[in-house]
Amino acid sequence: MGRKALAFAFLGAVAVAVAGRAEAADRTGPAQRQAGLAAEYGLAKESQFYFVLDVPGRKLDLRVRGMVLKSWPLRDMRFWGDPGFAGTVALAKKTTLKSPERIVLRPGEAKEAGPAPAPAKPVAKGAAPNPAEYELEALELKDMPKAFGLDFDNGLHVSVKARDAAAQGLSKRLRGALRWYVGLPLRNLFGTKEGKALSELELVFESGQDAQAIYWHFFDGIRGIILP
Amino acid sequence: MIKRLLIAAAALVWLGGLVVVGTAYLVGLKQASAWPPEPAAQPAEEKNAAKAERAVQQLEKRMAGLLPRGTYIVIDTAANRLFLKEGAKVVREAVVSCGSGVVLEEPGGKKRTWVFDTPRGEFAVKSKITNPYWVKPDWAFIEEGETVPKAMEDRIEAGTLGDYALGFGQGYFIHGTLYTRLLGRNVTHGCVRVGDEDLKAVFKAVPVGAKIYIY
């Protein structure tokens, strides 16, 4: 009997604590939403595109005028450093090992640039060629990198990766682990070269195309909100 | 003896390194565990919560007021897709061709440069034209290695732009194409090429002044 009473008392206490916490969250919800909406309204009243990194919702949106143009769900994310980076930010620059390069046409040297659009592979007689297979003189989504960095004006560095790109060879994974578990903690402890506090966020998306589309749509200077 | 000393020194350095890395890791872990931050533990006062709720409703109303009214066009230049929308509803989706991103450099004295990107941003339909003629700009001749003509009539070409064209400023148009097999690819000089049926539907649906969002 004594044990049962003790168990009920314990369960009751847990239930009260959980309810209290839920109520607290409910009550603080509007204040957080108000702050988020106020920040977004500031961006949405201008005609520029902006992004919203919704950490609790685990998604990255591209928006204009409050309308979601494109949404990329986050498969995974992790973080090192100073967590005080939420709020309104602007993209200072994109960094990647190999930036996509534009094709330059100089009519006098046109012969070097190659002929007009033609199928990349021989097509069976009678079969319609697949437009996706044409070799074109163009900069397209498929030319964008699948892994890159975004440096924001508040010092936050965001690494963007795709799940399929993240599952690389052993050496790349080892290098990545060494950077994440040794390099970044040391830089965080001793400070960055610029003397700023380190803030490193890694976002992993489902497919390479998601990462490529983010590279395509995120232009230098784009502003956005990070919702904590 | 020296060998032992060296081994001891190496062990000391190794241990020291391990301690530094371990400390750095633990310090970082403590910082990182504070992210994402939990909602404040102290419940806000009822009065403040109600006030915030009212403010949220007002902001949501203001945000809704920013949304485009009527029928409008959204174009994804990466996916080469055009969406005809009414409110949040997609009325029609079309495969299109957007700018190739190619740079054209003029040889010779003037050395002008053109970048064949579809402009991104918020635009509006400025003109609606049936059976449009293409007034070929300088780059169209330079790209082909031809001399730029002086007479206007030498620049006019019929049939290239399809049956309809929607102008959205600075010489950019949403228009038809002869190269329908290239729809879905980035091949244009900045305009947006649309297939015949889709172009007809878009042309009929949007009035002059309708918003165009290109991203």
Side-chain angles (χ1 to χ4, degrees), chain B residues 144-162:
Chain B
E144 297 299 324
E146 295 170 8
T147 313
V148 178
K150 283 181 182 155
M152 180 58 108
E153 57 266 29
D154 294 335
R155 291 176 178 262
I156 292 169
E157 197 170 285
T160 315
L161 304 182

Side-chain angles (χ1 to χ4, degrees), chain B:
Chain B
M1 183 66 184
I2 292 171
K3 199 179 170 185
R4 278 186 184 174
L5 271 172
L6 280 173
I7 291 169
L12 215 64
V13 167
W14 191 79
L15 274 173
L18 211 63
V19 167
V20 170
V21 170
T23 309
Y25 188 76
L26 288 174
V27 167
L29 206 63
K30 197 182 169 204
Q31 273 184 331
S33 64
W35 185 86
E38 290 279 325
Q42 291 292 324
E45 285 176 29
E46 291 282 350
K47 206 172 141 189
N48 287 347
K51 204 174 160 186
E53 192 62 65
R54 274 199 303 277
V56 165
Q57 282 171 3
Q58 272 181 356
L59 279 164
E60 280 174 345
K61 215 181 254 182
R62 280 175 166 186
M63 290 284 285
L66 295 174
L67 290 171
R69 290 174 190 182
T71 308
Y72 60 98
I73 296 167
V74 176
I75 296 166
D76 181 343
T77 57
N80 287 300
R81 292 288 184 280
L82 180 149
F83 303 93
L84 187 64
K85 293 183 81 172
E86 275 174 18
K89 196 176 147 199
V90 177
V91 180
R92 194 178 184 105
E93 183 179 337
V95 180
V96 300
S97 285
C98 295
S100 66
V102 165
V103 177
L104 174 67
E105 284 183 2
E106 181 183 21
K110 284 187 181 174
K111 292 233 179 266
R112 288 176 292 175
T113 301
W114 292 268
V115 181
F116 297 139
D117 278 338
T118 297
R120 302 187 201 185
E122 184 187 62
F123 305 91
V125 175
K126 291 194 169 163
S127 58
K128 288 177 72 174
I129 308 160
T130 311
N131 295 321
Y133 288 105
W134 183 29
V135 182
K136 290 171 80 174
D138 288 0
W139 54 254
F141 298 96
I142 292 164
E143 191 181 28
E144 297 299 324
E146 295 170 8
T147 313
V148 178
K150 283 181 182 155
M152 180 58 108
E153 57 266 29
D154 294 335
R155 291 176 178 262
I156 292 169
E157 197 170 285
T160 315
L161 304 182
D163 297 332
Y164 309 97
L166 297 147
F168 57 92
Q170 295 179 343
Y172 291 102
F173 288 88
I174 296 171
H175 60 72
T177 179
L178 300 171
Y179 308 100
T180 50
R181 68 195 173 118
L182 291 174
L183 288 172
R185 303 291 305 271
N186 292 83
V187 290
T188 79
H189 297 91
C191 287
V192 180
R193 294 181 192 167
V194 190
D196 290 346
E197 285 302 308
D198 289 321
L199 181 64
K200 194 175 176 183
V202 171
F203 188 85
K204 281 188 174 176
V206 293
V208 170
K211 292 283 182 200
I212 303 173
Y213 296 95
I214 305 176
Y215 67 99

Side-chain angles (χ1 to χ4, degrees), chain A residues 104-117:
Chain A
V104 180
L105 296 181
R106 295 177 186 94
E109 307 159 20
K111 290 287 172 263
E112 285 172 29

